[in-house]
Amino acid sequence: MSEAIPGNAAAPGAGNPPASVRRSARPLTSVRRTVALVLYVWAAAAVVSGVSFLVPSTEGVAIFTGVLLCLVFGVLLHLLHRGVWLVLLAAAPALFVLVGAVQYAPELALERYGVRESVVVVADSAAAAGGKNHELTLRGSDGQELGERFVYRGTGAPDVGERLDIVRDSRGKVPMEQADQVDAAGRLEELIGGLVVWTALVLMAGWRGHVSRRRDLALHAGGARP
């Protein structure tokens, strides 16, 4: 009777990997997944920009949409790469993509239809109650108060009596902004720059994920090693 040689026994299922493992390790499958995620990246930016264009007075809607799509991108990038570190790297350009997509359309509208005016802050809604949400009442160069309030959220709001240069939408569709903060070209550069970095990360994730899946296929085909 012959004896089994230790270490030469094939593991169960060796040489016959599951169909799902074989499919996922195919180069064409990896290419399709990578291309699909690249298209998702650019489509997501277009969706956020479109929402910002359609509802420029409600910035929160565009921000919520952008954050949601960024989170979905992180999940898809993790599935493609099968790792976490690329997802963490994608967080920094996500900020540029989000800010650029949300602010590009309103600032472009202000550059095209805006009216520049020098105003003085005459009242602040948060002066008595405090807080970081400021609605500033402004007086124009003609001595009349403007009907639109300048909304400022956060610290460092202009003080009462301070003079500002603002840009107002002549159509009344886009909230006014300080003139020195309106830079549609800069927002577009931020958006495109963030998307380029995201695209590079997707390509890297696609390649590394493919290599990882090929390694899994080889392990299934060869069986467990002693």
Side-chain angles (χ1 to χ4, degrees):
M1 180 180 296
S2 61
E3 296 181 357
I5 301 175
N8 285 352
N16 186 27
S20 60
V21 174
R22 296 198 303 271
R23 285 195 301 269
S24 66
R26 292 172 183 168
L28 186 58
T29 300
S30 297
V31 169
R32 287 174 176 170
R33 290 173 173 172
T34 302
V35 171
L37 190 51
V38 170
L39 294 177
Y40 171 85
V41 162
W42 290 83
V47 168
V48 178
S49 298
V51 172
S52 180
F53 175 79
L54 293 173
V55 285
S57 60
T58 312
E59 190 179 69
V61 176
I63 293 175
F64 175 80
T65 303
V67 170
L68 180 61
L69 292 177
C70 285
L71 292 176
V72 172
F73 169 68
V75 172
L76 295 176
L77 186 65
H78 174 69
L79 293 176
L80 180 65
H81 175 228
R82 305 176 69 184
V84 177
W85 65 274
L86 270 180
V87 178
L88 297 177
L89 283 180
L95 181 62
F96 290 95
V97 173
L98 185 60
V99 172
V102 170
Q103 297 188 355
Y104 172 65
E107 293 191 8
L108 180 63
L110 287 176
E111 287 185 352
R112 289 185 174 180
Y113 306 105
V115 177
R116 188 183 182 112
E117 189 171 354
S118 180
V119 298
V120 176
V121 180
V122 296
D124 182 354
S125 63
K132 296 182 179 180
N133 295 328
H134 305 263
E135 291 188 7
L136 306 179
T137 302
L138 307 176
R139 184 173 63 233
S141 55
D142 58 358
Q144 302 295 319
E145 290 187 1
L146 303 184
E148 181 182 358
R149 299 292 184 264
F150 179 64
V151 177
Y152 189 100
R153 306 191 187 283
T155 59
D159 298 322
V160 174
E162 186 174 344
R163 181 171 293 276
L164 303 173
D165 288 330
I166 56 96
V167 179
R168 293 189 296 118
D169 183 7
S170 60
R171 306 164 304 167
K173 295 182 178 180
V174 178
M176 70 173 70
E177 291 284 351
Q178 289 182 247
D180 58 358
Q181 295 182 358
V182 177
D183 182 14
R187 301 304 184 192
L188 183 59
E189 290 176 0
E190 290 179 359
L191 174 58
I192 294 177
L195 288 175
V196 169
V197 175
W198 265 10
T199 300
L201 291 176
V202 171
L203 296 177
M204 186 184 301
W207 169 249
R208 291 182 64 87
H210 173 67
V211 170
S212 176
R213 290 179 177 88
R214 294 293 295 180
R215 187 183 303 118
D216 287 350
L217 179 62
L219 289 175
H220 275 283
R225 295 294 186 263

